[in-house]
Amino acid sequence: MVMRQEKDSGPRQIQREERSFGQGFRESREAVEGSGYSSKQLQGSKNSDHQQWRKGWRSLELESKFLPSGAASRGFNPVVFEAEEQVGGLWNHTIESTRLQNIKDFFQFSDFPWPSSVRDPLPTNAQLLEYLQFYARHFELLPYIKFNSKVISVSYVGECEEEIQSWELWGGSGKAFGSKGKWNLKVLHTKEESVKEYAAEFVVICIGRFSGLPEIPSFPPGYGPEVFSGKVLHSMDYSAMDNANAAEFIKGKRIAIIGSGKSAVDIAFECGKANGNDIPCTVIQRTIHWMLPHDAQPWGLSSGFLCFSRFAELLVHKPGEGFLSSILATSLWPLCFSFCKEGLILDGEDDPVKADIVIYATGYKGDEKLKNIFSSPTFQDFIAGSPTSTIPLYRQMINPRIPQLVVISYSESLSKSLYIRDEVQVARILSG
């Protein structure tokens, strides 16, 4: 959330003292004057991995148009509510073999490139988590973050619904702080087991769509997990296990994985490591996915050109599509299944897929999670849009009917995630 405060009249000077973090890491930050900042100096650590990070970060000469404190440098008093114990979000709970799915050059902060020591184009989850934590420390963001703090709901007060409905522009004026109202946030502090309320003039929602509320298949009575003699869980629960417990959980077990997305492939890889060819796992697809290696160039064209542009829109079914669009987005019939005592029964098959554990890698109800964070039924309807459309967000960030609020990093558009810098867009919005 964001509250306004008086801006500094002159150049801002920030003195950074030497701090320790990581495994023996020591970080020495130099003074920062005005709107620029110096290169980062790292010292210490006999650990080889950290030595590589130290060398990589020391090679960076960074320049920035903004002060390290971001929103604070623009005269705001930002507060970040983070449900986890540390920076990193979902990367704190990932499967051991999970890597970044995009080339790292397209997955970085615009003012903080990856260090030269990270040479793999698809860094490991540990490298990505460390990258995010270095970023937070480098720009001194930690004082603005309240960890172990989960936002339960947000409610807008100060404007009646009739007035909001009459607005032709966002917030009545088309500006970030155009209306008279404020947001009330109800926050659960998990360590204290207490709920507190906070007021904000502007809210940035960045809860993502791939967490929190799992998509669980439903079955008629007598055909669901209740008739299965084994264990059933969602990939979210498996990812929450630490690496040792996760490996022990699948060791020597017959695993059936429902789904074929990123989580399903990572879990299948873990099963392969744990059980080898002796006990192969079974991956069941309800909808076929076409996958290409990141360096593939079909017909001499980069897969990035085909997938990360509006050309890819032709491959997706849309409401009210014409005959030609329907042909281009060829339909694939889903593979249906049900449970039995021994495992799973696939449609058209007589013999069951025998399993000890069934893992749903079936995704999340991201739209429902975003809708539920609003306490007002009116705002819930605004953010949900129509049943036949995606979440209605201008520039994939702003709902014109919901004032003083943006949603970032929510869109599934690959071209957006790779090329549009959400933080820059938000900075422009807040600056008017």
Side-chain angles (χ1 to χ4, degrees):
M1 70 181 188
V2 172
M3 295 293 290
R4 285 179 288 191
Q5 62 185 13
E6 293 184 2
K7 295 185 178 180
D8 298 334
S9 58
R12 183 177 179 186
Q13 297 184 355
I14 303 175
Q15 298 291 332
R16 291 171 173 76
E17 62 183 16
E18 188 175 50
R19 305 175 179 176
S20 63
F21 65 96
Q23 299 175 6
F25 243 119
R26 296 196 68 81
E27 174 188 28
S28 177
R29 296 174 177 169
E30 300 178 355
V32 175
E33 298 184 358
S35 61
Y37 58 92
S38 64
S39 60
K40 186 174 185 176
Q41 304 296 323
L42 298 177
Q43 298 176 344
S45 178
K46 298 180 180 180
N47 181 285
S48 60
D49 290 338
H50 286 283
Q51 287 287 351
Q52 289 300 314
W53 277 89
R54 179 178 62 82
K55 293 176 182 177
W57 289 118
R58 288 188 70 176
S59 69
L60 297 180
E61 293 293 335
L62 304 176
E63 295 181 358
S64 175
K65 298 179 181 178
F66 311 119
L67 287 174
S69 302
S73 69
R74 287 169 172 74
F76 301 107
N77 181 24
V79 178
V80 179
F81 295 107
E82 169 57 56
E84 300 293 336
E85 292 185 336
Q86 62 179 0
V87 170
L90 284 180
W91 291 99
N92 287 298
H93 305 287
T94 55
I95 300 165
E96 184 176 11
S97 57
T98 298
R99 287 175 171 264
L100 189 61
Q101 287 92 22
N102 297 324
I103 304 299
K104 71 176 190 296
D105 294 338
F106 294 137
F107 198 94
Q108 64 182 10
F109 294 104
S110 56
D111 52 1
F112 204 68
W114 285 87
S116 58
S117 60
V118 181
R119 298 174 181 174
D120 194 319
L122 303 173
T124 65
N125 62 74
Q127 289 174 318
L128 180 56
L129 183 61
E130 196 158 9
Y131 170 72
L132 296 174
Q133 293 173 350
F134 271 126
Y135 180 89
R137 291 183 182 278
H138 183 90
F139 289 110
E140 292 198 329
L141 302 179
L142 297 182
Y144 300 102
I145 305 175
K146 292 182 180 294
F147 293 104
N148 301 300
S149 301
K150 181 179 180 180
V151 176
I152 301 174
S153 65
V154 298
S155 57
Y156 186 74
V157 295
E159 303 277 8
C160 65
E161 292 186 3
E162 291 77 9
E163 185 171 354
I164 293 175
Q165 292 278 13
S166 69
W167 288 342
E168 294 184 1
L169 299 174
W170 181 44
S173 66
K175 296 183 179 180
F177 299 97
S179 61
K180 297 177 293 185
K182 292 185 179 180
W183 287 95
N184 286 338
L185 290 78
K186 186 175 292 185
V187 180
L188 170 64
H189 297 285
T190 54
K191 290 291 186 180
E192 305 168 6
E193 297 184 348
S194 63
V195 176
K196 298 179 181 179
E197 290 192 359
Y198 299 82
E201 292 178 276
F202 195 92
V203 172
V204 180
I205 295 180
C206 40
I207 58 176
R209 64 185 306 135
F210 301 115
S211 65
L213 193 59
E215 181 76 57
I216 304 294
S218 59
F219 302 88
Y223 294 91
E226 70 276 6
V227 302
F228 178 47
S229 61
K231 297 180 180 179
V232 180
L233 70 159
H234 192 272
S235 60
M236 179 181 73
D237 303 310
Y238 179 79
S239 300
M241 301 180 187
D242 61 54
N243 293 337
N245 286 334
E248 181 63 27
F249 181 73
I250 61 177
K251 183 69 175 177
K253 302 294 195 303
R254 298 169 297 178
I255 311 295
I257 303 169
I258 310 300
S260 58
K262 300 180 181 69
S263 296
V265 173
D266 286 344
I267 296 173
F269 183 82
E270 293 297 315
C271 292
K273 286 198 307 180
N275 299 323
N277 295 328
D278 297 332
I279 311 176
C281 70
T282 302
V283 177
I284 299 173
Q285 295 177 299
R286 299 196 67 180
T287 302
I288 296 177
H289 294 273
W290 300 100
M291 299 184 182
L292 293 173
H294 66 83
D295 57 350
Q297 295 192 358
W299 307 294
L301 297 174
S302 168
S303 59
F305 174 80
L306 298 174
C307 299
F308 304 151
S309 69
R310 294 191 178 184
F311 173 83
E313 301 273 340
L314 297 174
L315 305 179
V316 180
H317 283 294
K318 296 169 281 294
E321 65 187 1
F323 176 75
L324 180 59
S325 296
S326 177
I327 293 296
L328 288 171
T330 303
S331 173
L332 294 170
W333 291 102
L335 176 63
C336 297
F337 68 95
S338 60
F339 282 88
C340 64
K341 183 177 181 180
E342 296 84 4
L344 301 172
I345 296 290
L346 307 184
D347 281 5
E349 299 288 337
D350 295 327
D351 297 327
V353 176
K354 295 182 179 181
D356 302 306
I357 299 172
V358 173
I359 301 178
Y360 294 136
T362 47
Y364 296 84
K365 298 180 180 179
D367 291 354
E368 185 175 338
K369 181 181 69 169
L370 179 61
K371 175 182 175 180
N372 290 344
I373 202 170
F374 293 92
S375 59
S376 164
T378 299
F379 281 179
Q380 288 182 352
D381 292 340
F382 286 163
I383 199 67
S386 69
T388 58
S389 67
T390 58
I391 294 292
L393 297 174
Y394 172 68
R395 293 204 171 187
Q396 303 179 46
M397 298 177 64
I398 297 172
N399 185 295
R401 292 293 183 186
I402 303 180
Q404 297 169 210
L405 180 143
V406 297
V407 181
I408 67 172
S409 300
Y410 185 81
S411 169
E412 287 188 281
S413 168
L414 290 174
S415 57
K416 174 183 181 296
S417 65
L418 295 183
Y419 300 114
I420 297 179
R421 302 298 183 186
D422 284 343
E423 69 272 17
V424 175
Q425 298 288 337
V426 173
R428 291 173 178 171
I429 290 171
L430 293 177
S431 298

mmCIF file of all heavy atoms in Angstrom, residues 314-330:
data_model
loop_
_atom_site.group_PDB
_atom_site.id
_atom_site.type_symbol
_atom_site.label_atom_id
_atom_site.label_comp_id
_atom_site.label_asym_id
_atom_site.label_seq_id
_atom_site.Cartn_x
_atom_site.Cartn_y
_atom_site.Cartn_z
ATOM 1 N N LEU A 314 -3.606 -16.403 -31.745
ATOM 2 C CA LEU A 314 -4.380 -17.183 -32.710
ATOM 3 C C LEU A 314 -4.554 -18.626 -32.253
ATOM 4 O O LEU A 314 -5.445 -19.326 -32.729
ATOM 5 C CB LEU A 314 -3.696 -17.158 -34.081
ATOM 6 C CG LEU A 314 -3.576 -15.784 -34.755
ATOM 7 C CD1 LEU A 314 -2.747 -15.905 -36.018
ATOM 8 C CD2 LEU A 314 -4.945 -15.208 -35.072
ATOM 9 N N LEU A 315 -3.701 -19.071 -31.331
ATOM 10 C CA LEU A 315 -3.724 -20.465 -30.907
ATOM 11 C C LEU A 315 -4.639 -20.698 -29.711
ATOM 12 O O LEU A 315 -4.718 -21.814 -29.209
ATOM 13 C CB LEU A 315 -2.292 -20.910 -30.555
ATOM 14 C CG LEU A 315 -1.248 -20.694 -31.658
ATOM 15 C CD1 LEU A 315 0.118 -21.155 -31.163
ATOM 16 C CD2 LEU A 315 -1.628 -21.412 -32.935
ATOM 17 N N VAL A 316 -5.328 -19.644 -29.272
ATOM 18 C CA VAL A 316 -6.157 -19.743 -28.080
ATOM 19 C C VAL A 316 -7.617 -19.501 -28.451
ATOM 20 O O VAL A 316 -7.940 -18.577 -29.180
ATOM 21 C CB VAL A 316 -5.715 -18.702 -27.025
ATOM 22 C CG1 VAL A 316 -6.577 -18.810 -25.768
ATOM 23 C CG2 VAL A 316 -4.245 -18.887 -26.696
ATOM 24 N N HIS A 317 -8.514 -20.362 -27.957
ATOM 25 C CA HIS A 317 -9.940 -20.160 -28.192
ATOM 26 C C HIS A 317 -10.420 -18.904 -27.471
ATOM 27 O O HIS A 317 -10.018 -18.622 -26.343
ATOM 28 C CB HIS A 317 -10.735 -21.366 -27.698
ATOM 29 C CG HIS A 317 -10.664 -22.539 -28.631
ATOM 30 N ND1 HIS A 317 -11.215 -22.508 -29.877
ATOM 31 C CD2 HIS A 317 -10.065 -23.747 -28.504
ATOM 32 C CE1 HIS A 317 -11.006 -23.686 -30.477
ATOM 33 N NE2 HIS A 317 -10.298 -24.442 -29.658
ATOM 34 N N LYS A 318 -11.300 -18.150 -28.135
ATOM 35 C CA LYS A 318 -11.827 -16.903 -27.592
ATOM 36 C C LYS A 318 -13.337 -16.870 -27.734
ATOM 37 O O LYS A 318 -13.889 -17.457 -28.667
ATOM 38 C CB LYS A 318 -11.201 -15.708 -28.316
ATOM 39 C CG LYS A 318 -9.693 -15.588 -28.120
ATOM 40 C CD LYS A 318 -9.072 -14.593 -29.041
ATOM 41 C CE LYS A 318 -8.885 -15.148 -30.434
ATOM 42 N NZ LYS A 318 -7.915 -16.234 -30.488
ATOM 43 N N PRO A 319 -14.022 -16.179 -26.812
ATOM 44 C CA PRO A 319 -15.479 -16.065 -26.933
ATOM 45 C C PRO A 319 -15.875 -15.403 -28.238
ATOM 46 O O PRO A 319 -15.281 -14.407 -28.648
ATOM 47 C CB PRO A 319 -15.859 -15.186 -25.726
ATOM 48 C CG PRO A 319 -14.732 -15.330 -24.773
ATOM 49 C CD PRO A 319 -13.505 -15.524 -25.613
ATOM 50 N N GLY A 320 -16.876 -15.959 -28.916
ATOM 51 C CA GLY A 320 -17.379 -15.371 -30.146
ATOM 52 C C GLY A 320 -16.445 -15.490 -31.325
ATOM 53 O O GLY A 320 -16.557 -14.739 -32.305
ATOM 54 N N GLU A 321 -15.493 -16.433 -31.268
ATOM 55 C CA GLU A 321 -14.533 -16.554 -32.370
ATOM 56 C C GLU A 321 -15.221 -17.043 -33.634
ATOM 57 O O GLU A 321 -16.223 -17.751 -33.602
ATOM 58 C CB GLU A 321 -13.417 -17.534 -31.979
ATOM 59 C CG GLU A 321 -13.910 -18.966 -31.779
ATOM 60 C CD GLU A 321 -12.815 -19.877 -31.237
ATOM 61 O OE1 GLU A 321 -11.711 -19.382 -31.018
ATOM 62 O OE2 GLU A 321 -13.084 -21.065 -31.050
ATOM 63 N N GLY A 322 -14.676 -16.656 -34.774
ATOM 64 C CA GLY A 322 -15.209 -17.088 -36.058
ATOM 65 C C GLY A 322 -14.692 -18.452 -36.455
ATOM 66 O O GLY A 322 -13.897 -19.082 -35.748
ATOM 67 N N PHE A 323 -15.129 -18.908 -37.641
ATOM 68 C CA PHE A 323 -14.751 -20.238 -38.102
ATOM 69 C C PHE A 323 -13.245 -20.359 -38.293
ATOM 70 O O PHE A 323 -12.633 -21.355 -37.912
ATOM 71 C CB PHE A 323 -15.485 -20.537 -39.417
ATOM 72 C CG PHE A 323 -15.092 -21.853 -40.035
ATOM 73 C CD1 PHE A 323 -15.558 -23.055 -39.493
ATOM 74 C CD2 PHE A 323 -14.236 -21.904 -41.124
ATOM 75 C CE1 PHE A 323 -15.182 -24.265 -40.057
ATOM 76 C CE2 PHE A 323 -13.862 -23.112 -41.684
ATOM 77 C CZ PHE A 323 -14.347 -24.297 -41.148
ATOM 78 N N LEU A 324 -12.623 -19.334 -38.897
ATOM 79 C CA LEU A 324 -11.184 -19.388 -39.159
ATOM 80 C C LEU A 324 -10.397 -19.470 -37.857
ATOM 81 O O LEU A 324 -9.467 -20.275 -37.737
ATOM 82 C CB LEU A 324 -10.748 -18.158 -39.963
ATOM 83 C CG LEU A 324 -9.247 -18.085 -40.297
ATOM 84 C CD1 LEU A 324 -8.814 -19.310 -41.113
ATOM 85 C CD2 LEU A 324 -8.935 -16.801 -41.065
ATOM 86 N N SER A 325 -10.781 -18.642 -36.879
ATOM 87 C CA SER A 325 -10.088 -18.681 -35.588
ATOM 88 C C SER A 325 -10.251 -20.036 -34.922
ATOM 89 O O SER A 325 -9.336 -20.554 -34.289
ATOM 90 C CB SER A 325 -10.615 -17.581 -34.668
ATOM 91 O OG SER A 325 -10.335 -16.307 -35.193
ATOM 92 N N SER A 326 -11.432 -20.622 -35.085
ATOM 93 C CA SER A 326 -11.681 -21.928 -34.497
ATOM 94 C C SER A 326 -10.785 -22.988 -35.113
ATOM 95 O O SER A 326 -10.291 -23.884 -34.428
ATOM 96 C CB SER A 326 -13.154 -22.305 -34.671
ATOM 97 O OG SER A 326 -13.413 -23.596 -34.166
ATOM 98 N N ILE A 327 -10.563 -22.903 -36.426
ATOM 99 C CA ILE A 327 -9.686 -23.857 -37.101
ATOM 100 C C ILE A 327 -8.249 -23.682 -36.621
ATOM 101 O O ILE A 327 -7.534 -24.655 -36.355
ATOM 102 C CB ILE A 327 -9.765 -23.680 -38.632
ATOM 103 C CG1 ILE A 327 -11.152 -24.082 -39.135
ATOM 104 C CG2 ILE A 327 -8.690 -24.499 -39.327
ATOM 105 C CD1 ILE A 327 -11.506 -25.534 -38.931
ATOM 106 N N LEU A 328 -7.802 -22.419 -36.475
ATOM 107 C CA LEU A 328 -6.432 -22.167 -36.052
ATOM 108 C C LEU A 328 -6.187 -22.670 -34.638
ATOM 109 O O LEU A 328 -5.123 -23.195 -34.323
ATOM 110 C CB LEU A 328 -6.132 -20.666 -36.127
ATOM 111 C CG LEU A 328 -5.987 -20.093 -37.535
ATOM 112 C CD1 LEU A 328 -5.903 -18.571 -37.477
ATOM 113 C CD2 LEU A 328 -4.761 -20.657 -38.230
ATOM 114 N N ALA A 329 -7.180 -22.482 -33.772
ATOM 115 C CA ALA A 329 -7.071 -22.972 -32.397
ATOM 116 C C ALA A 329 -7.764 -24.328 -32.310
ATOM 117 O O ALA A 329 -8.803 -24.481 -31.683
ATOM 118 C CB ALA A 329 -7.697 -21.972 -31.429
ATOM 119 N N THR A 330 -7.200 -25.326 -32.977
ATOM 120 C CA THR A 330 -7.831 -26.647 -33.085
ATOM 121 C C THR A 330 -8.116 -27.235 -31.717
ATOM 122 O O THR A 330 -7.265 -27.286 -30.843
ATOM 123 C CB THR A 330 -6.898 -27.598 -33.853
ATOM 124 O OG1 THR A 330 -6.617 -27.014 -35.116
ATOM 125 C CG2 THR A 330 -7.572 -28.947 -34.060
#
